[in-house]
């Protein structure tokens, strides 16, 4: 009982800290803008583009659910995209409340309603996130190459201290790699010595099963039957992310004349911002996006307003449709026939 209470207390402390950081960053960005100033900007918005952005966001989430089904299919699960979509939206909803909770939550929804093993589902989510990270890095490389002059000044201004300490960081990396090699070697030796005892240990057998199922989920991308549809869905997801930002350009008059390449730059920055370990990327998203817009000739105030519009649009979309999805998930009847475990 004491351990459970301690875990709950630590979770509350962690939640409070991340929420406090997000609130501070948001205050820091908008401390110079009054509520009247912000409202005056919102009065001039073309809201039809906001609604289009919301529709594009929902389409991207639905395609993500479709792609997730393709990752789960090689593991023996045949799911309806509509049901997986509910899990995806609940996951996004949870991430806006507690950082990193969404991945576990959406796996839990599938386990509850469709009988998908948590380890398999989570392994597929890890594969999905790893793929998205690689795509983000790939797009960042292309963007930095095309927009080198513009982005070089941004990197130099915001990360010059880190760049100047690259030698010390290299030393840390080498040391970490050496420790990793030594530790791995020691574990291999110990495993060979105590192999027979471990294979009779109930905890080890459960751990091995857990790792095996996790790896199955992670490596499921190699076993996808229709690779063409999978990669087309992946392109669709990122294409819609890009379109969501471009549409917001037209919703806000000061950014309506921006070139399309600026949208690609913002896609990278928004991706980094949303991956920050705070609720919904609050604060970090606004800092990165507003800072980059200044490099494209947008005033600091207009950049901050655009960041607020773009983030609020997606945040409220997730909170509304994610909240509705959560309620629906509570009343969904489990369908065991969806599961054809091999």
């Amino acid at each position: 009982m004491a351990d459970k209470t301690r875990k709950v207390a630590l979770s509350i402390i962690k939640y409070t800290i991340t929420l406090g950081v997000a609130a501070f960053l948001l205050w820091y960005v908008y401390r110079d803008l009054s509520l009247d100033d912000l409202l005056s900007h919102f009065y001039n918005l073309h809201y039809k583009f906001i609604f289009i952005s919301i529709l594009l966001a929902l389409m991207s989430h639905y395609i993500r659910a479709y792609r997730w089904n393709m990752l789960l299919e090689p593991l023996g699960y045949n799911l309806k995209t509509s049901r997986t979509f509910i899990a995806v939206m609940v996951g996004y909803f949870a991430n806006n409340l507690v950082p990193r909770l969404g991945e576990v939550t959406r796996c839990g929804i599938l386990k509850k309603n469709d009988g998908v093993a948590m380890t398999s589902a989570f392994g597929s989510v890890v594969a999905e996130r790893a793929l998205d990270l690689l795509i983000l890095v790939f797009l960042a490389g292309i963007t930095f190459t095309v927009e080198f002059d513009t982005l070089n000044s941004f990197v130099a201004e915001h990360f010059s201290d880190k760049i100047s300490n690259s030698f010390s960081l290299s030393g840390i990396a080498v040391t970490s790699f050496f420790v990793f090699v030594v530790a791995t070697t020691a574990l291999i030796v110990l495993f060979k010595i105590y192999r027979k005892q471990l294979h009779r240990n109930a905890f080890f057998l459960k751990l091995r099963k857990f790792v095996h199922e996790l790896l199955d989920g992670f490596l499921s991308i190699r076993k996808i039957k229709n690779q063409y549809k999978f990669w087309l869905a992946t392109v669709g997801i990122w294409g819609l992310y890009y379109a969501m930002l471009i549409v917001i350009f037209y919703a806000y008059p000061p950014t309506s004349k921006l070139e399309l390449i600026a949208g690609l730059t913002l896609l990278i920055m928004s991706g980094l911002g949303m991956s920050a370990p705070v609720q919904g990327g609050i604060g970090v998203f606004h800092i990165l996006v507003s800072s980059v817009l200044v490099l494209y000739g947008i005033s600091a105030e207009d950049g901050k307003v655009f960041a607020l519009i773009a983030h609020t649009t997606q945040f409220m979309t997730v909170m509304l449709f994610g909240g509705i999805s959560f309620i629906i998930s509570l009343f969904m009847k489990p369908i065991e026939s969806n599961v054809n475990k091999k």
Side-chain angles (χ1 to χ4, degrees):
M1 187 68 179
D3 290 339
K4 186 176 181 180
T5 303
R6 189 180 300 110
K7 288 180 179 178
V8 172
L10 289 174
S11 298
I12 293 174
I13 292 172
K14 182 180 178 181
Y15 172 81
T16 304
I17 291 174
T18 55
L19 186 61
V21 170
F24 171 77
L25 292 175
L26 200 61
W27 168 83
Y28 178 80
V29 175
Y30 296 97
R31 67 191 187 283
D32 298 328
L33 290 175
S34 67
L35 180 60
D36 290 336
D37 291 334
L38 290 174
L39 289 177
S40 66
H41 287 288
F42 276 75
Y43 289 145
N44 296 321
L45 286 178
H46 301 302
Y47 282 95
K48 63 180 179 181
F49 292 110
I50 299 294
F51 292 124
I52 293 173
S53 181
I54 291 173
L55 290 176
L56 292 173
L58 292 174
M59 288 173 61
S60 73
H61 301 329
Y62 190 84
I63 294 175
R64 179 173 290 277
Y66 173 75
R67 189 182 69 169
W68 193 17
N69 278 351
M70 284 191 280
L71 282 169
L72 290 169
E73 187 178 3
L75 304 177
Y77 299 103
N78 183 23
L79 309 179
K80 292 182 178 179
T81 304
S82 58
R83 295 175 69 88
T84 314
F85 174 72
I86 295 295
V88 168
M89 292 307 300
V90 174
Y92 282 129
F93 178 77
N95 265 341
N96 278 352
L97 299 177
V98 181
R100 302 294 175 266
L101 181 63
E103 284 72 16
V104 176
T105 301
R106 62 166 162 151
C107 294
I109 294 294
L110 279 193
K111 177 176 175 58
K112 169 182 173 291
N113 293 325
D114 294 276
V116 179
M118 281 290 292
T119 47
S120 297
F122 191 73
S124 65
V125 170
V126 171
E128 181 186 65
R129 290 306 186 189
L131 175 61
D132 286 336
L133 177 60
L134 289 174
I135 292 173
L136 184 64
V137 172
F138 174 72
L139 291 176
I142 293 176
T143 305
F144 194 82
T145 300
V146 176
E147 293 285 89
F148 179 79
D149 292 336
T150 301
L151 295 180
N152 187 49
S153 59
F154 176 80
V155 173
E157 180 181 350
H158 291 81
F159 303 104
S160 57
D161 292 338
K162 294 180 178 61
I163 293 172
S164 64
N165 292 328
S166 60
F167 179 77
S168 59
L169 290 176
S170 299
I172 294 173
V174 171
T175 303
S176 300
F177 178 74
F178 176 76
V179 172
F180 172 77
V181 171
V182 171
T184 303
T185 303
L187 287 173
I188 292 173
V189 172
L190 289 173
F191 175 77
K192 288 185 176 182
I193 294 174
Y194 296 101
R195 179 185 297 177
K196 292 182 179 180
Q197 292 90 326
L198 286 172
H199 282 288
R200 292 194 295 266
N201 184 278
F203 175 76
F204 174 78
L205 294 175
K206 289 181 180 179
L207 179 62
R208 187 176 66 173
K209 181 181 178 182
F210 172 82
V211 173
H212 179 73
E213 290 180 348
L214 192 65
L215 286 174
D216 276 348
F218 181 75
L219 297 175
S220 60
I221 190 171
R222 299 188 309 173
K223 304 174 184 177
I224 293 173
K225 294 179 180 178
N226 197 323
Q227 291 284 334
Y228 172 76
K229 287 185 178 180
F230 177 82
W231 291 106
L232 186 62
T234 300
V235 171
I237 291 169
W238 283 90
L240 287 168
Y241 285 170
Y242 174 71
M244 285 156 49
L245 284 171
I246 294 298
V247 168
I248 298 294
F249 280 0
Y250 299 113
Y252 185 49
T255 59
S256 61
K257 299 297 178 62
L258 282 172
E259 296 181 0
L260 295 180
I261 188 63
L264 190 56
T265 305
L266 286 185
L267 177 63
I268 305 305
M269 293 303 165
S270 62
L272 294 174
M274 294 303 291
S275 63
V278 293
Q279 285 83 343
I282 295 174
V284 181
F285 177 98
H286 300 80
I287 290 173
L288 291 176
V289 170
S290 61
S291 299
V292 166
L293 281 173
V294 173
L295 301 178
Y296 288 95
I298 304 299
S299 70
E301 180 174 325
D302 287 334
K304 292 175 182 178
V305 174
F306 175 88
L308 186 62
I309 295 168
H311 186 274
T312 302
T313 299
Q314 299 311 316
F315 186 87
M316 296 308 297
T317 299
V318 167
M319 295 305 291
L320 174 61
F321 291 95
I324 293 172
S325 296
F326 175 70
I327 294 172
I328 293 174
S329 71
L330 297 177
F331 297 96
M332 287 175 66
K333 183 179 179 180
I335 302 178
E336 295 297 333
S337 59
N338 276 348
V339 183
N340 298 311
K341 195 78 181 76
K342 295 177 181 179

